Amino acid sequence: MQNLGTSLRVLLRGFLRRCPNCGDPGPYRWWWKMRLRCRQCGLHFEREEGYWTGAMAINLIVTELVFAAIMVATVIITWPDVPMLPLLLVGLAVNAVVAVTFYPIARTIWIAIDLLLHPLEDDEVRETAELRRIRDQTTANV
Ligand SMILES: [Zn+2]
């Protein structure tokens, strides 16, 4: 188990869409297109088949919390004349927009949580070290 400071740093990196392992800002080529590996530390982001289920759960929870907050706030503010149709349309839009835009962040948060719960295995550490060595040799020869 890692200490609290290290755990918070790993989680913060995930919330900032950075590689939770090393902090590199480039896990994504663009907002939704994730690289297979970290370009800095070589971490393979999808550590096993079905890996992104946790990210989907995080994304669903955040999306529904935002949706619920908007619904409750609107009902409280407008009670007793709740505008049902506009509220329904806003709710649909919020569910679509938040789910789509937050998903990349949910993925790096999930990687961070997974790294804290399941630290890199020996073969993953060897693999990332080998990739770093190859990258360093390649850049030194250029
Ligand atoms: Zn990294």
Side-chain angles (χ1 to χ4, degrees):
M1 191 70 185
Q2 299 173 355
N3 68 37
L4 182 62
T6 302
S7 299
L8 290 176
R9 186 172 58 241
V10 168
L11 281 174
L12 181 62
R13 289 172 178 166
F15 275 94
L16 296 175
R17 281 180 74 234
R18 292 175 169 256
C19 171
N21 194 41
C22 71
D24 181 72
Y28 286 92
R29 293 183 194 278
W30 52 280
W31 189 260
W32 289 282
K33 180 68 177 168
M34 185 174 240
R35 300 175 197 281
L36 291 176
R37 295 181 173 280
C38 176
R39 60 186 181 178
Q40 186 67 33
C41 71
L43 174 69
H44 191 243
F45 292 125
E46 187 173 356
R47 296 175 72 190
E48 60 190 2
E49 194 170 320
Y51 186 72
W52 301 121
T53 307
M56 289 179 206
I58 292 169
N59 198 39
L60 178 66
I61 291 167
V62 168
T63 300
E64 296 315 314
L65 284 175
V66 171
F67 171 67
I70 290 171
M71 292 286 282
V72 169
T74 302
V75 168
I76 289 172
I77 292 169
T78 61
W79 189 261
D81 298 319
V82 180
M84 292 307 287
L85 183 61
L87 188 57
L88 175 67
L89 296 175
V90 169
L92 289 171
V94 164
N95 272 288
V97 171
V98 173
V100 169
T101 55
F102 188 76
Y103 186 60
I105 299 169
R107 287 176 105 182
T108 51
I109 292 171
W110 173 246
I111 297 168
I113 292 170
D114 186 55
L115 277 176
L116 293 173
L117 295 176
H118 303 105
L120 294 178
E121 310 233 343
D122 291 342
D123 60 328
E124 290 176 294
V125 172
R126 277 193 299 276
E127 186 181 62
T128 55
E130 179 66 12
L131 286 168
R132 272 198 313 271
R133 189 185 63 74
I134 292 170
R135 187 201 65 218
D136 292 345
Q137 281 182 344
T138 305
T139 52
N141 293 334
V142 173

